[in-house]
Amino acid sequence: MTSEPLTLDVRDDLRQGREPLPKIMAAVKQLQPGQSLRLLTTFEPIPLFHVMAHKGFRHEARRLGEGDWEVLFIPSGAEGAEPGAAAPAGTPADGAAKPGASGGTAAEDEPWPAPARTLDNRGLMPPEPMVRVLEALESLKDGEVLEVFNDREPMFLLPELEQRGYAVRMEKLDSGVRLHIRRKKVTPR
């Protein structure tokens, strides 16, 4: 078992507006069995906690000076792991599965209604776009569609939406992406 955590500093990526999730997932793939990941970031990455929990990691976070954060992601199989932190059955192995263009069910292939609400998150720094989307979804009624404009593909948001039972249709634009989000319909068998 490796005792030294692998350290990854994504503070510069975040300050430059770059999406750090690919770098974080690449670091996770490099971990040895039982090895932890020490992540340095500019905010408490709450959405990432969910992603990593599905990959079998619990976390310990603490604020550093200057508003930065240090988060230690510890394999749930390691000593002291919290029960129930392992990935549930049926969870994609990489935890970062992106919802497809239709959500994958026959019901989601049907035409969607016009958006009931639109959010323009362009120009906002992480994690504000994700926070705004999750807040907006709380007030969305069943069957309604939320339209979102982002500067880039929201890599933290997509697995979170999948976990919460939302389907996403995403279109790449010349300047960013447009998403349509609505709760998945349950297709009777």
Side-chain angles (χ1 to χ4, degrees), residues 65-135:
E66 307 294 325
D68 293 340
W69 285 80
E70 177 188 60
V71 182
L72 190 62
F73 289 104
I74 305 160
S76 59
E79 187 175 328
E82 296 174 2
T91 300
D94 67 0
K98 299 172 189 174
S102 67
T105 66
E108 298 306 328
D109 290 335
E110 298 170 357
W112 287 15
R117 185 172 173 196
T118 298
L119 286 180
D120 191 345
N121 290 331
R122 291 174 287 197
L124 300 177
M125 294 296 291
E128 192 171 357
M130 181 169 180
V131 170
R132 294 183 76 210
V133 169
L134 295 177
E135 287 177 351

Side-chain angles (χ1 to χ4, degrees), residues 162-174:
E162 178 73 20
Q163 179 188 355
R164 294 183 181 207
Y166 287 94
V168 179
R169 291 179 174 176
M170 183 164 52
E171 174 188 3
K172 294 198 176 190
L173 307 175
D174 289 339

